């Protein structure tokens, strides 16, 4: 099974509705010991610039020239409208709505790009958001806490059951004002796919990079440098 990358609480699992081909992607599956994924820096401790428009965020997304050879852009996926049921994780089930079926968070200013690498099932997705520091902090914390608060649960989407295992990872504390990181393993039909997801808030900007663990680690710093550039 090829798991398409998406980045909301259940946007990831809703993307499992697209099951075009079966392959196992365990790139970088060897991971670190679980630990708290959020720093304790207050969301509004440092005054940062006002929020950016979606158009401004779009211009700060990584592109093929930033990523290097072997990366191909993925077309935007159509919205999924199947019923999504979460079993075994009440906190995640209660999020519902857009968190359960959408591909983006509900902040007003946002931009997104998806890429595949090397013609394989390896994928990387970048999402950018802008809002007040407090809103970004509270919104992302709620989703990450819900997902990592349940080590295992099941999602039934469009009649397809998917087993999900979640694990907190050490966050990159030297980046931005707040950081979150987790590892998700999706299993169905005897196949599994590992997705790493790391979020960094820098003032009124939020960066979320998801996908094959090795690709997330390779491009996270580059993505943050581009989105926080003032030029």
């Amino acid at each position: 099974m090829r798991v398409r990358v998406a980045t909301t609480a259940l946007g990831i699992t809703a993307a499992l509705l697209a099951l075009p081909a079966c392959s196992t992607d365990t790139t970088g599956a060897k991971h670190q010991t679980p630990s708290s994924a959020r720093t304790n820096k207050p969301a509004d401790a440092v005054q940062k610039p006002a929020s950016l428009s979606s158009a401004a965020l779009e211009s700060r997304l990584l592109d093929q020239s930033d990523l290097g050879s072997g990366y191909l852009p993925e077309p935007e996926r159509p919205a999924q409208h199947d019923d999504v049921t979460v079993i075994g994780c009440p906190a995640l089930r209660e999020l519902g709505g857009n968190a359960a079926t959408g591909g983006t968070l509900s902040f007003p200013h946002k931009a997104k790009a998806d890429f595949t690498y090397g013609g394989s099932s390896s994928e990387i997705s970048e999402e950018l958001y802008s809002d007040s520091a407090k809103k970004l902090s509270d919104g992302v914390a709620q989703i990450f806490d819900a997902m990592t608060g349940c080590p295992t649960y099941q999602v039934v989407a469009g009649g397809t059951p998917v087993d999900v295992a979640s694990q907190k990872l050490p966050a990159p504390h030297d980046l931005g004002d707040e950081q979150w990181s987790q590892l998700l393993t999706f299993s169905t039909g005897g196949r599994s796919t590992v997705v790493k997801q790391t979020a960094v808030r820098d003032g009124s900007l939020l960066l979320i990079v998801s996908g094959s663990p090795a690709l997330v680690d390779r491009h996270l710093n580059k993505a943050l440098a581009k989105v926080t550039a003032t030029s």
Side-chain angles (χ1 to χ4, degrees), residues 38 41-43 107 132-142 178 180 201 203 206:
R38 187 181 182 190
K41 294 181 181 179
F107 298 116
S132 73
K134 184 175 184 348
K135 288 180 180 178
L136 292 175
S137 179
D138 291 347
V140 177
Q142 180 185 32
E178 288 185 288
W180 302 258
R201 182 189 66 79
L206 173 68

Side-chain angles (χ1 to χ4, degrees), residues 35-204:
S35 71
S36 175
R38 187 181 182 190
T39 64
N40 294 319
K41 294 181 181 179
D44 296 309
V46 179
Q47 186 66 34
K48 294 292 179 76
S51 61
L52 297 178
S53 66
S54 296
L57 292 175
E58 187 81 26
S59 69
R60 300 189 184 203
L61 287 167
L62 293 177
D63 55 31
Q64 286 174 280
S65 64
D66 298 316
L67 294 169
S69 61
Y71 291 87
L72 295 175
E74 283 278 285
E76 185 176 353
R77 293 181 293 273
Q80 301 290 346
H81 300 290
D82 302 85
D83 291 335
V84 176
T85 302
V86 180
I87 301 171
C89 187
L92 196 53
R93 185 177 63 244
E94 288 173 5
L95 287 177
N98 291 334
T101 60
T104 55
L105 297 172
S106 58
F107 298 116
H109 308 299
K110 53 198 172 188
K112 187 173 187 290
D114 299 287
F115 296 89
T116 57
Y117 176 65
S120 69
S121 60
S122 297
E123 298 186 358
I124 185 168
S125 172
E126 178 188 11
E127 294 190 39
L128 301 178
Y129 300 92
S130 190
D131 206 331
S132 73
K134 184 175 184 348
K135 288 180 180 178
L136 292 175
S137 179
D138 291 347
V140 177
Q142 180 185 32
I143 290 174
F144 270 78
D145 288 348
M147 295 183 77
T148 58
C150 301
T152 59
Y153 54 95
Q154 187 177 72
V155 173
V156 180
T160 302
V162 180
D163 294 320
V164 185
S166 64
Q167 178 183 339
K168 285 185 180 181
L169 294 178
H173 298 304
D174 57 331
L175 300 180
D177 299 314
E178 288 185 288
Q179 314 85 17
W180 302 258
S181 192
Q182 63 182 337
L183 198 75
L184 301 165
T185 302
F186 302 96
S187 303
T188 189
R191 302 296 183 101
S192 63
T193 296
V194 176
V195 173
K196 183 173 183 178
Q197 182 177 54
T198 298
V200 177
R201 182 189 66 79
D202 189 278
S204 60

